[in-house]
Amino acid sequence: MMNDFIPVNEPLLDGNEKKYLLECIETGWISSEGPFIKQFENKFAARVGRKHAIAVTNGTAALDASVDALGIGVGDEVILPAFTIISCITQIIRSGATPVLVDSDPLTWNMDVTQIEAKITPRTKAIMVVHIYGLPVDMEPVLDIAKRYGLKIIEDAAEMHGQTYRGKPCGSFGDISTFSFYPNKHITTGEGGMIVTDDDELAETCRSLRNLCFQPQKRFVHERLGWNLRMTNMQAALGLAQLERLNEFVVCKRAMGALYTELLKDLPDVQLALAKTDYAENIYWVFGLVLNDDVPFDAEEAMRRLSAKGIGTRPFFWPMHEQPVLQRKGLFDAERYPVAERLARRGFYLPSGLALTDEQIERSADAVKEIINHD
Ligand SMILES: Cc1ncc(COP(=O)(O)O)c(C=O)c1O
């Protein structure tokens, strides 16, 4: 049985990846100085329609640098969704700023944008929007609020390569926007991330933060604390080859989502990832589902049962206000975000990698039907 275990993710690396990687080895360009970095950055910026792209070591680092580049620190508040990955909140906390949470929309699983305005105070500096699992956040209301209150937008598009909101690329909406290239993403560099922006000064700051804030004239004299977030030429080589195939990958993921939806749509007890809204069609970074309340077990048990049937799964995010490490810091005391809490307990995702075959999708869907049918 375990021989044909269906992994939750497997990337596709059968384009120019090998050729470009070999070029790195043959030319000796393996550090962050190599030519693929600029090529990857330029092509990525063009794809998202931004002036600048800054390649970094991962999506978390991209967020950390973005928060720091905006000068967010003690006394500032940043509004973000409760239902997200810890990467979104780490630098907000470390900088001494205060994270302010909003709950999720129960259908899209994205931040409920109608809750943002009530959370704004004179200390609010930025809104961090996080596009979740393949459907974008409803950006128009967020852009409108940011404009009216003079707030910055940090757009976490880690899961959104190739996605658009009302026809405009995700990653083009933030004052600063970020991506991840972890292998479960639509395109991967093994580990990697990208910051994009149209602002020359922010771009320059991010480039400096990426490189320990070395100074051009006095290299080892520092005016600011940075990080070493440099991507290697080998990672950029992979990224360039992957980017060439992004359109194809989006088509592939949409076909995966459509097949799962078709196979599971009549199952009464689960809520499936929403196929579309009036502003976007899902690109299914992952195919998620949420167990209805009449299913007599939670996501953890469902994942255990699916694993026993050879199906790989992953849980949904665990909300920020329920993180022990943050509660111990005295954050979010007695705050409740019921939609996020329910998603965390009832939601998980099925095998969703690019290498998935129709037969594997059918087997995964059959297994879900078997474990859910509790008649
Ligand atoms: C929404 C979101 N933000 C940030 C990240 C962090 O990216 P990385 O794993 O490259 O650090 C992820 C990773 O999966 C993510 O899904």
Side-chain angles (χ1 to χ4, degrees):
M1 183 67 170
M2 293 318 269
N3 280 346
D4 54 5
F5 190 87
I6 305 174
V8 75
N9 178 64
E10 227 181 317
L12 274 184
L13 301 168
D14 51 356
N16 281 324
E17 289 81 0
K18 201 168 168 182
K19 180 173 163 226
Y20 296 165
L21 267 178
L22 203 60
E23 210 173 305
C24 298
I25 293 165
E26 285 171 353
T27 59
W29 283 115
I30 56 170
S31 77
S32 58
E33 295 286 312
F36 282 125
I37 297 279
K38 263 276 147 262
Q39 285 180 47
F40 184 38
E41 287 179 338
N42 290 344
K43 291 227 161 95
F44 197 89
R47 171 73 203 222
V48 188
R50 306 293 313 237
K51 195 167 168 195
H52 303 280
I54 301 111
V56 292
T57 43
N58 53 66
T60 306
L63 283 164
D64 288 350
S66 299
V67 169
D68 197 53
L70 286 172
I72 287 165
V74 177
D76 297 326
E77 292 176 2
V78 180
I79 297 173
L80 75 161
F83 184 70
T84 189
I85 189 167
I86 197 83
S87 311
C88 295
I89 212 167
T90 49
Q91 179 59 22
I92 298 173
I93 307 248
R94 287 186 179 130
S95 74
T98 304
V100 175
L101 305 179
V102 297
D103 206 357
S104 307
D105 177 297
L107 286 181
T108 65
W109 308 334
N110 275 309
M111 70 198 296
D112 179 349
V113 297
T114 66
Q115 296 184 18
I116 295 175
E117 199 161 356
K119 298 276 178 151
I120 294 174
T121 76
R123 286 144 64 108
T124 309
K125 186 137 182 192
I127 303 168
M128 183 183 282
V129 293
V130 188
H131 307 297
I132 303 275
Y133 298 162
L135 261 188
V137 171
D138 189 4
M139 287 307 301
E140 265 171 14
V142 184
L143 292 166
D144 172 60
I145 291 169
K147 198 167 167 198
R148 278 192 285 121
Y149 289 88
L151 305 176
K152 298 290 183 196
I153 294 180
I154 303 164
E155 180 190 12
D156 182 356
E159 307 169 355
M160 287 295 135
H161 320 80
Q163 180 57 296
T164 57
Y165 169 85
R166 297 198 190 282
K168 203 168 167 260
C170 287
S172 67
F173 293 97
D175 291 278
I176 195 159
S177 306
T178 62
F179 289 86
S180 161
F181 302 121
Y182 189 71
N184 60 6
K185 301 302 187 295
H186 279 70
I187 61 171
T188 184
T189 60
E191 297 283 352
M194 194 73 87
I195 302 167
V196 294
T197 181
D198 295 328
D199 184 310
D200 297 345
E201 206 173 310
L202 270 179
E204 207 35 56
T205 304
C206 287
R207 285 195 189 98
S208 179
L209 288 172
R210 167 177 74 176
N211 197 23
L212 288 163
C213 297
F214 286 131
Q215 300 201 86
Q217 306 306 328
K218 287 181 175 261
R219 183 172 175 80
F220 294 111
V221 178
H222 301 263
E223 297 288 345
R224 185 170 181 163
L225 292 177
W227 292 269
N228 177 351
L229 307 178
R230 302 186 301 261
M231 178 184 268
T232 69
N233 198 47
M234 296 180 287
Q235 291 166 299
L238 270 183
L240 196 63
Q242 290 267 293
L243 189 55
E244 291 168 356
R245 302 179 67 193
L246 178 53
N247 291 343
E248 183 193 331
F249 289 164
V250 169
V251 169
C252 173
K253 286 276 206 163
R254 282 197 167 131
M256 172 200 77
L259 183 53
Y260 268 131
T261 304
E262 181 55 32
L263 294 168
L264 292 172
K265 70 178 191 313
D266 295 328
L267 200 59
D269 294 332
V270 294
Q271 176 196 355
L272 306 180
L274 194 60
K276 61 178 178 181
T277 63
D278 62 344
Y279 50 76
E281 271 181 52
N282 207 323
I283 57 163
Y284 299 102
W285 171 52
V286 293
F287 191 85
L289 36 96
V290 179
L291 302 173
N292 288 349
D293 291 339
D294 48 0
V295 175
F297 48 84
D298 63 8
E300 219 174 285
E301 176 60 20
M303 289 188 291
R304 233 188 325 267
R305 293 184 188 194
L306 286 169
S307 178
K309 290 178 180 294
I311 312 297
T313 57
R314 286 284 182 281
F316 271 14
F317 296 132
W318 198 255
M320 294 304 103
H321 66 294
E322 295 195 289
Q323 297 293 341
V325 63
L326 304 181
Q327 290 172 340
R328 281 199 299 272
K329 288 179 188 294
L331 285 163
F332 315 126
D333 192 26
E335 290 181 32
R336 299 297 307 271
Y337 301 94
V339 179
E341 288 166 23
R342 184 166 179 281
L343 290 174
R345 285 159 179 79
R346 310 294 290 176
F348 61 97
Y349 61 87
L350 294 172
S352 303
L354 286 160
L356 213 55
T357 64
D358 284 0
E359 189 269 330
Q360 288 177 315
I361 295 172
E362 281 158 18
R363 254 186 59 205
S364 303
D366 283 346
V368 171
K369 286 185 201 159
E370 284 164 27
I371 67 150
I372 300 290
N373 277 329
H374 50 89
D375 299 333

